[in-house]
Amino acid sequence: MLDATAALIEEVPYARLTVEAIAARAGVGKQTIYRWWPSRGAVVFDALLERSGGGDAALPDTGDLRADLSSFLRASAREMTAPSTDAFLRAVTVEILQDEAVALQYRQRLLTPQRAAVRQRLATAYDAGLLRDDVDLDVLVECLVGPVAGRWLLGSGALDDAYADAVVDVALRGAIR
Amino acid sequence: MLDATAALIEEVPYARLTVEAIAARAGVGKQTIYRWWPSRGAVVFDALLERSGGGDAALPDTGDLRADLSSFLRASAREMTAPSTDAFLRAVTVEILQDEAVALQYRQRLLTPQRAAVRQRLATAYDAGLLRDDVDLDVLVECLVGPVAGRWLLGSGALDDAYADAVVDVALRGAIR
Amino acid sequence: MLDATAALIEEVPYARLTVEAIAARAGVGKQTIYRWWPSRGAVVFDALLERSGGGDAALPDTGDLRADLSSFLRASAREMTAPSTDAFLRAVTVEILQDEAVALQYRQRLLTPQRAAVRQRLATAYDAGLLRDDVDLDVLVECLVGPVAGRWLLGSGALDDAYADAVVDVALRGAIR
Amino acid sequence: MLDATAALIEEVPYARLTVEAIAARAGVGKQTIYRWWPSRGAVVFDALLERSGGGDAALPDTGDLRADLSSFLRASAREMTAPSTDAFLRAVTVEILQDEAVALQYRQRLLTPQRAAVRQRLATAYDAGLLRDDVDLDVLVECLVGPVAGRWLLGSGALDDAYADAVVDVALRGAIR
DNA sequence: ACTTAAACGAGACGGTACGTCCTGTCTTAAT
DNA sequence: ATTAAGACAGGACGTACCGTCTCGTTTAAGT
């Protein structure tokens, strides 16, 4: 069922993604879907979860903070622009905007772990005395991730390596001792 | 009709906002709506346009860049958390995610002017030699606005004055000479 | 729509006759059916009405009461055994048994006129002094029609001319002066 | 299970009487019902059988044929108008109309014995030379029972003692020597 | 002032999907 | 080994809206 959902998300515009189509594609009765999920949004979210693998690997630590952040942000930007990820992300974002339950799940199951990974790398640098004492690591994480997410959402510019690096530059220069 | 749309956006969850309801509320035939707009999204977008007044006043320039940016970002954050603006923004964001035509309109008619206003204030500072030579003003704008938008979208933390100031701190420290 | 209903009644067992199938066969949206009729039963009843033409011609009066009643009852029996009428009658009877509104309609629009026609012929005979003074014409009508309807409903014997005549014999002999 | 069925038949309109409800009421799995009966109709029919007790007592013979028939028909009419019998009869009639297997069972197990009882009383009278030589006892039975059944089915008039007697009058006068 | 045509409100229409209910079959856990 | 419980694929229910399509009815402009 989640596989069918994933396939359809990439095939049809999200507004046309019906529970009936998911059931048909999965060779399943509609009721079976409603038995396990309360809404289309919940199914879509679980499909995303499965896809993301839940693998919330920590950022690598090469010793070079700027390089580590840059490669993470570059990878994120590249991922977001892949058509399949893009479609998934749009779908889930639409649900987040309209269903607080999905939003909560998203924060707990995906957002928080991902941000914790970034924060962990920053904390290492902080502990090594590389960052200013007064820096708020959570804010710093959002200053890295927020601009990239903004470009994806609004299409306000190219989501390329140069942009990722530019964001790292500004954020890091603002945080380094 | 746009008034009816605005009223309904604040009253019912966006998924339940139907063209039929807008027509009924406006005391208008459905056909009249379809005569002037191609889709519900377009109506909603125009309702937002009317609401925003189109007035894209430039940022004030008190001479204190940090204070100017701070008051702008604080105002933005406060605005976004107002229930009525929040509902409107959610509605339009949902449309942006699903309809490239609306996304394009949004960028041209709202996003670009708003960002130009911020950029203008930064350009003044740049010309005054306050900022580093190598700073990209567009990126800087997004480093200010992106994190705030991110918090709104994901509900990942309080959207208060302190957060606005923290973002200004990081972004500005990264850009100042 | 009524034509589609009539066609389907003859084609599929009544338990399988769905509103959806009627709509599809008629090339019509389901809502259109529900706009004009409150239930499947009502549609079926109207289809029967249209079929019966509403034309409730009086019984012929050849002067020979027995012959007139015999030919009427023979025709009724023959009609009831025609597969298409049988299917229709079963359908409507099922509805009558389960929906008092349909039952009421049936009595007013079909049953009463039909019985009035028979009663009229009997009244003529009564006025001519052929029948006993104390006979109740309504009961007499039912004594003619009831047994035939019973055989149809229960399949408890052949519905042929001989049976029709036998019923006429008993009922008439019981009523003649 | 038959008790549960009987209870539900009296409680809910027959169209709403589901196998699931019977199983739940009986505290039994659905499968157990399907193991012993092929359809809802068969269950309902067996529930009726159990209720009727199978007791197919012969009609009493007081020596007065008219009185015996009258009391039988009065009792039948009174029984049919009892809400609980009415509901049962409607249910079974619906099944008879739609399922030839149920119809067959009904004829063999209930209809035939009941009519045989009436016929037996008539045969006694016939043998005593009270009835005309040419009378067909089966037809006579139906001329007694048919009109009453017709009134019940169609609600075309009061099912009271007076009606029962009127029917006996017509039928008997038509049969007496 | 009188015509004429565009825009309108109303709402019926053919459709699609909704979320629910029930069917008859199949599986599981407990007795 | 049989059962109650209930999941399952399937299909119909009756409802809500979609976007299109007539219908008269205003409403203005052009005559």
Side-chain angles (χ1 to χ4, degrees), chain B:
Chain B
M1 266 144 81
L2 296 178
D3 291 350
T5 306
L8 285 168
I9 280 179
E10 298 173 27
E11 286 172 27
V12 302
Y14 188 58
R16 290 236 208 291
L17 179 59
T18 68
V19 173
E20 227 146 44
I22 295 174
R25 171 70 76 104
V28 135
K30 256 199 297 183
Q31 194 60 238
T32 304
I33 292 180
Y34 283 111
R35 192 153 23 234
W36 298 100
W37 291 277
S39 66
R40 182 187 64 163
V43 185
V44 167
F45 177 73
D46 275 11
L48 176 61
L49 258 193
E50 196 193 44
R51 189 176 193 272
S52 308
D56 300 282
L59 262 63
D61 183 348
T62 65
D64 181 346
L65 177 61
R66 177 175 311 261
D68 289 349
L69 291 176
S70 167
S71 69
F72 167 73
L73 227 51
R74 286 175 171 211
S76 296
R78 209 171 305 124
E79 178 74 8
M80 279 174 150
T81 52
S84 127
T85 314
D86 180 70
F88 246 108
L89 238 37
R90 281 170 192 270
V92 170
T93 309
V94 165
E95 296 297 339
I96 284 171
L97 281 162
Q98 298 184 262
D99 183 345
E100 181 51 36
V102 172
L104 184 63
Q105 286 286 308
Y106 182 78
R107 267 178 254 129
Q108 292 177 346
R109 312 277 292 276
L110 288 175
L111 192 64
T112 303
Q114 183 228 44
R115 298 215 166 163
V118 181
R119 194 195 147 101
Q120 177 54 46
R121 181 63 189 84
L122 292 172
T124 304
Y126 184 84
D127 293 343
L130 294 173
L131 304 183
R132 300 168 49 105
D133 286 342
D134 63 351
V135 81
D136 179 328
L137 293 187
D138 290 318
V139 170
L140 189 51
V141 169
E142 295 185 28
C143 284
L144 287 159
V145 165
V148 172
R151 277 223 168 167
W152 167 77
L153 175 62
L154 299 168
S156 51
L159 258 183
D160 52 17
D161 290 354
Y163 182 66
D165 288 351
V167 171
V168 171
D169 276 356
V170 170
L172 219 51
R173 218 184 285 125
I176 273 175
R177 183 181 295 274

Side-chain angles (χ1 to χ4, degrees), chain C residues 67-82:
Chain C
D68 289 350
L69 292 175
S70 168
S71 71
F72 168 73
L73 227 51
R74 285 175 172 210
S76 296
R78 208 170 305 124
E79 178 74 8
M80 279 173 152
T81 52

Side-chain angles (χ1 to χ4, degrees), chain C residues 17-21 30-31 34:
Chain C
L17 177 59
T18 67
V19 173
E20 228 147 46
K30 250 198 301 184
Q31 191 62 225
Y34 284 109

Side-chain angles (χ1 to χ4, degrees), chain D residues 108-172:
Chain D
Q108 293 179 346
R109 311 278 291 276
L110 288 174
L111 192 63
T112 302
Q114 183 229 42
R115 297 214 165 164
V118 181
R119 196 196 144 101
Q120 179 54 47
R121 182 63 189 84
L122 291 172
T124 304
Y126 184 84
D127 294 342
L130 295 172
L131 304 184
R132 299 169 51 106
D133 285 341
D134 63 351
V135 82
D136 180 329
L137 294 187
D138 290 319
V139 170
L140 190 52
V141 170
E142 295 185 28
C143 284
L144 287 161
V145 167
V148 172
R151 275 222 170 166
W152 168 76
L153 176 61
L154 299 168
S156 50
L159 258 182
D160 51 18
D161 290 352
Y163 183 65
D165 289 350
V167 171
V168 171
D169 277 355
V170 170
L172 219 49

